[in-house]
Amino acid sequence: MRNLYNEPCAFAGYPVDPADHIRNDQNHVAQLQKDPDTQVMIFVDSRPLMVLPDLSIFYLSVKEIELADHPCLFMGLRYDTGEAVFAVALDPQSAENILSDTVKAIDLRSIAYQLTAKAYAPELALLGKARSILDWHHRHGFCANCGAKTNLSKAGYARKCPACGTEHFPRTDPVVIMLVTHGDELLLGRSPHFPKGSYSALAGFMEPGETIEEACAREVFEESGIRVKNVQYLKSQPWPFPSSLMIGLTAEAENTDIQLEGSELEDARWFSRDQVIENIKQGGDDNLRIAGYNIAIARHLVEWWLRE
Ligand SMILES: [Zn+2]
């Protein structure tokens, strides 16, 4: 079985040194926040500011923005120049005078589709991490333990409650996503919210108390009535909508009779290898489009299966 770990996919391959030793050193962080070489990414309503038409990340210098006034996250140091990168969330009013015909706030999914269509884009990992953590700050302003207002700490990697002392950390929600095979056939399904005709790998959130293998078996059975064995790990992908980790797996089916009763899926079917090859080659249409999203791990998993 081939290892997919080094094959790049959207939002993976963090391109700067996270330099996590700096996060606990407030003086060092404060010094970087005044350094004229520091670059600051801007987010408005979870959308990064990008420079058009080439769709590159827009950066401000620290002379142009007061970092202490906004939720601010230390992204790390550039490997080549050592320059620090921060990400800041602005409210729409504060961002108004930055926006222009060539600097716009753009939905990250749209950026990912456009950049990935050309080549692997390492900057998506930077944008994805910043989006996930800034979004977490936005939604976790109050202590889950006592209800008091919390403060950002550890250069943006935690929040601390001044009333009860509890520290809160950004969460990542693990999701299992699996290719279930039976001989030369592949089980794919569609959720009601998928675009017309789209089929993809079965997936679901893990629950507390489960192993990855158990979560895979439970989800596949719940959604399709298929029992699986031989669960194997293939590859993972950070998914910043808002903050998941997609755990890519394969599993072998023990039965083939699909049961959709009680399933969250609208449909699930077995597809032959030839059907999958033909559909992916043609790009699919509204009648049938298999793993049609170039930014999603499901596409990587299906391509792996076709090569095996
Ligand atoms: Zn508290």
Side-chain angles (χ1 to χ4, degrees):
M1 189 173 283
R2 218 165 130 223
N3 185 352
L4 295 188
Y5 182 75
N6 290 320
E7 284 189 15
C9 63
F11 306 114
Y14 198 62
V16 304
D17 176 0
D20 53 339
H21 61 282
I22 293 175
R23 296 173 193 173
N24 291 321
D25 184 344
Q26 281 190 356
N27 290 335
H28 198 160
V29 173
Q31 180 202 324
L32 291 173
Q33 288 183 336
K34 289 189 199 116
D35 189 324
D37 290 333
T38 289
Q39 299 176 313
V40 185
M41 302 157 62
I42 310 290
F43 282 72
V44 179
D45 289 338
S46 298
R47 291 175 301 159
L49 297 200
M50 305 293 287
V51 181
L52 300 175
D54 54 341
L55 209 58
S56 56
I57 300 174
F58 173 76
Y59 292 99
L60 283 180
S61 82
V62 295
K63 284 186 198 147
E64 298 165 295
I65 184 165
E66 184 50 65
L67 294 181
D69 292 349
H70 311 281
C72 176
L73 174 69
F74 174 58
M75 304 302 298
L77 305 175
R78 293 214 185 270
Y79 286 113
D80 49 355
T81 60
E83 289 163 354
V85 181
F86 285 83
V88 165
L90 294 188
D91 58 67
Q93 272 180 329
S94 309
E96 246 170 31
N97 58 354
I98 304 172
L99 298 174
S100 69
D101 287 348
T102 54
V103 177
K104 291 198 185 302
I106 299 179
D107 175 70
L108 183 54
R109 266 198 186 82
S110 163
I111 296 168
Y113 283 126
Q114 292 179 62
L115 292 182
T116 307
K118 293 177 201 155
Y120 163 66
E123 59 268 41
L124 287 176
L126 203 59
L127 293 168
K129 179 174 179 171
R131 185 192 192 279
S132 280
I133 299 181
L134 291 174
D135 183 67
W136 174 79
H137 281 294
H138 179 66
R139 290 180 296 119
H140 291 79
F142 294 89
C143 179
N145 189 45
C146 77
K149 214 167 178 191
T150 54
N151 300 319
L152 183 145
S153 68
K154 292 191 195 300
Y157 289 84
R159 298 192 71 85
K160 181 137 195 200
C161 175
C164 73
T166 303
E167 275 195 306
H168 302 277
F169 297 94
R171 58 183 283 172
T172 299
D173 299 318
V175 173
V176 285
I177 178 162
M178 42 270 164
L179 289 186
V180 177
T181 62
H182 187 267
D184 224 16
E185 288 192 312
L186 190 59
L187 177 67
L188 300 171
R190 58 169 280 109
S191 290
H193 66 266
F194 282 8
K196 201 163 179 280
S198 286
Y199 281 76
S200 190
L202 271 51
F205 284 102
M206 290 186 65
E207 294 177 352
E210 281 182 324
T211 64
I212 289 171
E213 293 84 351
E214 286 167 340
C216 170
R218 175 184 54 75
E219 276 292 336
V220 174
F221 184 71
E222 275 175 16
E223 295 192 351
S224 66
I226 303 294
R227 296 283 185 192
V228 296
K229 62 180 180 182
N230 295 339
V231 177
Q232 303 271 347
Y233 170 80
L234 281 181
K235 180 186 185 67
S236 62
Q237 180 190 34
W239 189 248
F241 306 104
S243 192
S244 295
L245 174 67
M246 309 301 288
I247 302 169
L249 307 165
T250 61
E252 292 171 29
E254 293 187 300
N255 58 310
T256 55
D257 46 326
I258 294 168
Q259 300 281 344
L260 290 175
E261 203 178 324
S263 168
E264 286 173 6
L265 295 180
E266 187 177 273
D267 190 25
R269 291 186 210 164
W270 291 101
F271 291 90
S272 72
R273 182 175 291 264
D274 287 347
Q275 262 179 303
V276 176
I277 290 172
E278 191 60 20
N279 192 267
I280 284 189
K281 202 160 69 181
Q282 292 178 350
D285 55 30
D286 286 354
N287 293 316
L288 180 62
R289 184 176 287 111
I290 291 175
Y293 307 102
N294 63 350
I295 66 172
I297 190 173
R299 178 59 173 258
H300 290 259
L301 299 179
V302 170
E303 285 176 357
W304 165 84
W305 179 72
L306 291 176
R307 285 195 303 263
E308 279 298 287

